[in-house]
Every structure is written in C-alpha cells, then in structure tokens.
Amino acid sequence: MREVEYRNTTNGNKFLTSADGTSIYAEAVGRTPGPGVPTIVFIHGLLMSSAVFDTIFTDDAWTRNTYLVRYDVRGQGRSGQPCDEAGWESKRFAEDFETVMNAFKLDRPFVAGWAKYANARPSTGVWEVSTNITDILSFHPAEYLAGIIYIAPIPYTAIAYEVGTLAAGACVSRLCQPTSVPVFQSAAQDFVSLCSGTGHGFSFALYRMCLGNAIVQPVETTGQLMSRAQDEKGLLGAGHEGRLPLLFLYGTQDEVTKHEPVLDAIAGWTRLDKRAIKAGHTLWLEEPIGFRETILQWTHSVCQKETV
C-alpha cells in the first residue's frame, strides 16, 4: 500500500484558534506540497460542514496527486459560533482562512468554493450571500492564492438574486424566519434535498448528517452568515487584471444555482476556464471521476505554466 505523506497534522486534523478566538476545525491529507504537487483548500456551503468532501479526502486518486485541506466555516460544523456582530464581519472569515494557512504552512493554495449562502429577505426582496473567497481577496492580494475553483457558485452579494433559484431561496427564508418547528424542519429537509443532487449525490448517511447540521444550527447564526456585508472589488480586480486563474464548474441539472448570471457577473475575467458537468449541485459526488480529472488537470496545468 502506498504511504500517504502528511505534514504538520496530528491524524490529519486540528482545532485551530482564529484571530478573534473562534475555534476552527480543519483537516489536511495528501502529499507534501512542492513543485508539481498543488495544494487545494475546499470550502463548503451553507448549513453544511467540510464532511461533504469526505469522498474526496479518502480517494487515493486525489491524495497521491495533491495536498488537500478543508475546514468548517465559522458558525457551522465543528467550528465555533460567535455571539457578537463583530464575529461575522468579512475580515473574520479572511482571518479564519489565514489561520488555516498558517497552521498547515500553506503557500499560495488553490481555493475550491462550493455554492455559498443565499437568502431572500422578505423585507427587501433581495438575496444576500457570502463567499469566503471574496472575503479572502478583500484583505489579500491576488498573489496570495494560486487560483480559484468555483463549484456551482454564488460569488458575491450583488448577483445573488439572479444566481440562486427560487426553490433554494424559499427554503432558506423559511429557515431564517420559521413560523413553527415543523416549518423549520420541513425547510431544512427541503434545502438539504436540493443540495444533495440528482439522486447520485448524498448517501443516506451524509444526508442525515447534513440535515443534523441544519437542524442544530441556531437560526441567529444562519441569519448572520447570510446577511453580512462583503466587498467584491478585490475579487473582480484580480480577474480583470489577469492576476488569478479561475476554473468555473457547474452542473447542468443544478436546482440550487444558475450558471448564466455568474458568467455575466465575471465577464472580463481574463484567465477563465469553464466546464459543464452533467450533474446537480454536488458535482464531486454525482460525477466523481470527471470532476476529479478536470480539477487535477487544470491545477497541474496552472502550476506548469507558472514554472515556465
């Protein structure tokens, strides 16, 4: 059996402390980073945890070719849930990423972000989202990363209404402002079912785990995750100036996000590759081989171009 190399981990996982004292759960597996061995940090979406990427982190085809890192976003999974408003500022999410970078001694990783948080506020009729990649690039230059991998994304606040589907928005609205316990439970089930894909996505065990995450997450936390402010200028500037490559992956049968508005929003991104995969919202579960090979080929290609 091939020996997988781990670096700076204890059994591959850690509980880290972010700048404001919030606990962040993180894990790393795979080959020691170096020339030809890209590092990829995977970030999960709303009401989920990094466990949604279990099949990637236990796949030898991934771990023998890359160094993989994942963490639970603050307020979700095994990470802490701040009580004050300051704990939900964009800077805090960037600091969480810095904490993970420092703990595993990462240098210019690729960041893979799955579709994030969407909410239709009844008072405004506006969708609000949060993506950690936007937070990162609000406080760091493009050169802090090697590249971005968007997985069925909602990149930033201003386009959330156009990108998210009505079905997803209706679910999250009921989660944030439930009128009763049954309504909340039904909304959580509907949302997790939408995210689980076209029938080849979540296993029953993963479905139950994600449903559990959604049920136990405080309503206040869900609201904070979706209503906080962001600034997309750093993100778009990195793309328009040709300073950061982007791989945009979307499912042709996605019931949570729409890809056309995303492409409109990032029009002018000079180093853009886009790929359609016949799948729903969980591309890596529904089409694991195609998803894996697309990302591995792309990241290695980017690395090779930088060494020329």
Side-chain angles (χ1 to χ4, degrees):
M1 180 179 294
R2 180 189 59 81
E3 180 180 354
V4 178
E5 297 179 71
Y6 297 94
R7 190 181 71 170
N8 303 317
T9 62
T10 302
N11 295 324
N13 60 73
K14 292 184 176 185
F15 280 94
L16 312 174
T17 303
S18 194
D20 69 340
T22 300
S23 176
I24 301 296
Y25 175 83
E27 178 183 358
V29 299
R31 292 182 59 185
T32 301
V37 183
T39 297
I40 307 176
V41 181
F42 282 85
I43 306 177
H44 64 85
L46 177 69
L47 298 177
M48 304 293 171
S49 75
S50 59
V52 297
F53 300 121
D54 278 352
T55 57
I56 292 175
F57 279 63
T58 56
D59 184 348
D60 184 70
W62 278 98
T63 58
R64 70 168 177 261
N65 289 293
T66 55
Y67 188 58
L68 302 175
V69 181
R70 57 178 168 174
Y71 65 97
D72 288 350
V73 175
R74 63 171 50 213
Q76 302 183 86
R78 288 154 285 190
S79 291
Q81 299 184 357
C83 298
D84 60 323
E85 291 287 336
W88 303 101
E89 294 174 356
S90 180
K91 181 179 180 180
R92 298 306 183 196
F93 289 79
E95 290 172 344
D96 295 346
F97 186 80
E98 293 169 20
T99 298
V100 174
M101 289 273 289
N102 293 335
F104 296 107
K105 294 182 169 55
L106 307 183
D107 179 32
R108 301 191 66 234
F110 292 90
V111 181
W114 187 30
K116 307 306 282 182
Y117 323 119
N119 178 32
R121 282 192 167 183
S123 60
T124 63
V126 177
W127 289 57
E128 294 188 349
V129 312
S130 125
T131 67
N132 293 76
I133 296 173
T134 299
D135 297 318
I136 295 165
L137 293 175
S138 292
F139 297 92
H140 293 282
E143 292 73 22
Y144 191 59
L145 307 176
I148 296 172
I149 302 167
Y150 272 149
I151 308 167
I154 301 177
Y156 57 87
T157 305
I159 64 164
Y161 183 79
E162 290 80 12
V163 175
T165 65
L166 293 178
C171 290
V172 179
S173 292
R174 286 152 54 209
L175 285 168
C176 290
Q177 296 182 322
T179 56
S180 66
V181 172
V183 168
F184 179 81
Q185 292 175 325
S186 174
Q189 291 175 324
D190 290 346
F191 183 76
V192 174
S193 294
L194 280 177
C195 292
S196 67
T198 60
H200 301 285
F202 288 1
S203 65
F204 182 69
L206 181 57
Y207 171 82
R208 296 285 290 184
M209 184 193 66
C210 291
L211 183 59
N213 286 339
I215 293 294
V216 303
Q217 183 167 295
V219 173
E220 295 79 9
T221 297
T222 305
Q224 291 281 12
L225 284 166
M226 295 184 295
S227 62
R228 63 190 188 83
Q230 284 192 301
D231 184 351
E232 69 273 13
K233 289 194 297 291
L235 171 75
L236 295 179
H240 295 163
E241 296 165 10
R243 298 162 61 198
L244 202 57
L246 167 62
L247 174 62
F248 174 42
L249 304 176
Y250 64 92
T252 58
Q253 301 168 350
D254 194 341
E255 297 182 282
V256 179
T257 61
K258 297 174 286 186
H259 70 276
E260 296 94 341
V262 177
L263 291 174
D264 291 340
I266 60 176
W269 197 290
T270 59
R271 301 171 66 188
L272 170 67
D273 288 291
K274 58 182 182 293
R275 312 286 173 83
I277 296 179
K278 188 178 181 181
H281 199 54
T282 52
L283 286 71
W284 67 97
L285 293 173
E286 299 170 66
E287 290 294 336
I289 297 176
F291 178 85
R292 182 186 67 228
E293 294 308 308
T294 297
I295 290 181
L296 292 182
Q297 290 172 12
W298 185 80
T299 54
H300 281 87
S301 174
V302 171
C303 291
Q304 288 174 357
K305 289 178 183 177
E306 290 194 352
T307 58
V308 174

